[in-house]
Amino acid sequence: MQLMPMGDYYVWYCEWCDSRNMTLWTRIDAKEVACGCCHRTFPLSTNAVAKVIADFTTTLATPAI
């Protein structure tokens, strides 16, 4: 599963039912996400969470132009 940032949310696609989901960035630290359509839960790998945190930190460190 790949998380893609979009504003305050991360967009991802369910591997079971192929639906598009949006998860608020504050829920990413829960270590799993649930599909809004089929309600299956998917664990977030530690690599995915580390990448999300790194992307967020980089965004905060980048000066606004």
Side-chain angles (χ1 to χ4, degrees):
M1 173 180 31
Q2 182 179 3
L3 298 170
M4 297 166 282
M6 182 182 288
D8 289 339
Y9 294 88
Y10 281 92
V11 177
W12 57 279
Y13 290 88
C14 177
E15 296 171 354
W16 180 257
C17 69
D18 202 32
S19 64
R20 179 176 173 232
N21 292 278
M22 296 178 73
T23 302
L24 192 60
W25 68 270
T26 56
R27 302 266 330 226
I28 294 297
D29 65 350
K31 306 292 187 238
E32 71 178 12
V33 291
C35 177
C37 186
C38 68
H39 305 290
R40 287 189 177 253
T41 58
F42 297 95
L44 293 174
S45 68
T46 55
N47 292 338
V49 174
K51 184 180 181 323
V52 167
I53 292 170
D55 290 345
F56 182 70
T57 305
T58 303
T59 302
L60 289 178
T62 306
I65 297 175

